[in-house]
Amino acid sequence: MVSRYEQTLQNLVESGFTSVASVGFNLPPIMARYAASDFFAPRIRQFIYLTDIELEHLPESPIQDNEFYKILGLKLWHDGSPYTGTMALEEPYLFNSLTQMMGIS
Amino acid sequence: MRMVRLLILLSLWVLLNVSCSSEHAADTIFIGGTVLTVDENNSVVEAIAIKDGMIIQVGTTTEISAMANSSTKIIELKGQTLVPGFIAAHEHPTLTAVFAETIDLSAFTFNSPDDMWQHLKQQIALADKGDWIYGMGLDPVLMPDLVLPSKAFLDKIAPNNPLVIVSQTMHSFWANSTAFAEVSIDNQTADPGNGSYYGRDQQGNLNGFISESEAASPFLDN
C-alpha cells in the first residue's frame, strides 16, 4: 500500500503538481511522511485534513516544523457530487457567470 | 595569451566566491527566462534562486546571478517560461492508491463505452469464480454517450463474481446482485441517510446504484 501511495504522489509530481491536499481517507501520518520522502528529499508538499474517524492522528498543536507535511485540521463538511446528485448548490453548476465567461455553459 | 586567460578565469572564480559566500549562496538558480511568480502582484521576473529546496529570491538575471558561487547549479532558461507547480487542492491520494490495481474504466483510457465495457468483460473472464472484481473510473462526463449500468446489466456480464464499479468522482458506485448478496444488503435494507443511499426502482427494488461512500463502504471492505 505504501509503495502504491508513493507512486500516486510521484504521478502528481510528474504531472506538474508540487502540493497536494488530502482531504480525508488518509494514510496514518507516519506512512504518509515516509511515502513523501524521495531518498530523504521532499517529493511533494502534503496538506492533510482528517475525517471524524481519523481523530487519533490529530496533533495537539499545528505542525510548524515541516514545510512539506502539515495536518491542517478536520474535514467537518463532506462534499457531494453534482453528478451523483448529492452536492448542495446555490446556483446552476454548469450555467453561471464563470462558465458563461469561459464559453462552456 | 594562455596565461591571461588563466588569470581571467581565476579572477572570475575568486569574484564568485567572494561575492557570495557558501552560507548565502543559492543551491540552484534559474536565469534568463520569463518567470511567472503568481505573487500578489502577479510579478514577472527573469530569474529565481533556490536553497534547501525553497525559493529564496526572485529578480533579474543580474541580481540572481550574484547569489551563485562555484558550487551553485546554474540553469539557463534561454527565454523559456517558468511557472509555479500546480496545487492539487482536493485529492484523495490514499483512495487513488487503493484503487490503483482495480480494472481501469476511465474515459482517459477508452474512447467509447463499447470499448470500455468490452475491456471489463475481458477482465471478468480472467477472474476466478467468486473473486471480487472492482472497476474504477466510470465517467459519464467525459463519455457523454455512456449509459449507466443497471444491476441487470452487471448481473449479465458478471454472473459468477461480485462486481463493483466506482465512478471517476468516487461519489457514485454500482454493484451486481452477487455483490449485494455478499454484503447482505437487500430490498429491505435501510439507507444510511438522505445523501448516501441505495438506488431503487419504482417498486422499491435495488437497481444497482449506490450513492456516496457510506452506503458503498460494505462493498469496499473486501
Side-chain angles (χ1 to χ4, degrees):
Chain A
M1 180 60 197
V2 173
S3 64
R4 295 212 300 256
Y5 190 83
E6 283 179 305
Q7 188 58 52
T8 299
L9 297 182
Q10 189 61 31
N11 289 344
L12 284 166
V13 170
E14 292 174 8
S15 300
F17 292 93
T18 52
S19 301
V20 57
S22 179
V23 285
F25 312 106
N26 301 289
L27 278 187
I30 190 168
M31 294 170 70
R33 282 191 186 224
Y34 174 81
S37 173
D38 183 15
F39 294 100
F40 302 105
R43 188 190 304 273
I44 192 171
R45 291 184 188 83
Q46 290 184 89
F47 301 110
I48 309 293
Y49 286 91
L50 304 172
T51 60
D52 53 351
I53 60 171
E54 300 169 327
L55 290 179
E56 63 193 280
H57 301 308
L58 185 67
E60 291 188 5
S61 59
I63 296 173
Q64 301 290 357
D65 63 339
N66 191 330
E67 289 292 329
F68 291 89
Y69 183 89
K70 289 186 177 181
I71 296 176
L72 294 180
L74 299 179
K75 182 177 181 177
L76 297 174
W77 189 262
H78 284 245
D79 60 307
S81 161
Y83 307 106
T84 306
T86 51
M87 184 169 154
L89 296 166
E90 290 186 340
E91 62 179 29
Y93 182 64
L94 293 177
F95 188 78
N96 53 53
S97 58
L98 176 63
T99 57
Q100 287 177 32
M101 181 269 288
M102 296 173 70
I104 59 172
S105 59
Chain B
M1 188 62 184
R2 185 178 288 175
M3 183 60 77
V4 173
R5 278 187 186 165
L6 196 62
L7 280 172
I8 290 172
L9 281 174
L10 190 61
S11 302
L12 281 173
W13 184 84
V14 170
L15 265 175
L16 268 175
N17 283 279
V18 168
S19 64
C20 191
S21 69
S22 59
E23 184 184 348
H24 299 103
D27 298 329
T28 305
I29 61 171
F30 293 79
I31 59 173
T34 301
V35 181
L36 309 183
T37 65
V38 197
D39 64 9
E40 58 187 11
N41 299 316
N42 274 329
S43 306
V44 179
V45 298
E46 295 175 341
I48 63 173
I50 314 288
K51 186 175 178 65
D52 297 329
M54 305 287 286
I55 297 171
I56 56 171
Q57 186 72 43
V58 301
T60 65
T61 294
T62 304
E63 290 166 344
I64 299 302
S65 295
M67 301 181 71
N69 69 7
S70 59
S71 58
T72 298
K73 183 178 181 182
I74 300 172
I75 298 175
E76 295 270 4
L77 292 172
K78 298 178 180 173
Q80 295 181 100
T81 299
L82 184 67
V83 299
F86 300 126
I87 297 171
H90 184 135
E91 294 293 308
H92 299 289
T94 303
L95 294 181
T96 304
V98 166
F99 289 119
E101 294 189 358
T102 59
I103 299 168
D104 178 15
L105 304 178
S106 166
F108 294 108
T109 307
F110 298 98
N111 291 322
S112 73
D114 286 345
D115 290 347
M116 182 267 295
W117 291 124
Q118 186 59 33
H119 176 68
L120 177 60
K121 290 173 185 173
Q122 290 168 350
Q123 296 301 305
I124 291 170
L126 297 174
D128 291 333
K129 186 177 180 180
D131 282 355
W132 281 81
I133 298 171
Y134 291 91
M136 175 68 206
L138 206 67
D139 193 341
V141 180
L142 290 183
M143 201 177 271
D145 53 344
L146 172 70
V147 176
L148 296 175
S150 65
K151 185 155 63 70
F153 173 76
L154 299 179
D155 288 345
K156 187 177 178 182
I157 65 173
N160 301 313
N161 298 81
L163 170 64
V164 179
I165 293 176
V166 185
S167 71
Q168 185 70 23
T169 66
M170 296 187 186
H171 288 269
S172 299
F173 307 79
W174 296 265
N176 67 353
S177 295
T178 308
F180 276 101
E182 285 280 339
V183 297
S184 302
I185 291 173
D186 58 27
N187 295 336
Q188 280 68 51
T189 303
D191 295 326
N194 290 330
S196 189
Y197 60 88
Y198 302 106
R200 300 170 197 271
D201 62 20
Q202 290 185 331
Q203 286 71 45
N205 299 314
L206 297 170
N207 64 14
F209 177 68
I210 303 162
S211 170
E212 299 291 355
S213 55
E214 190 170 357
S217 62
F219 298 85
L220 306 179
D221 290 339
N222 296 283

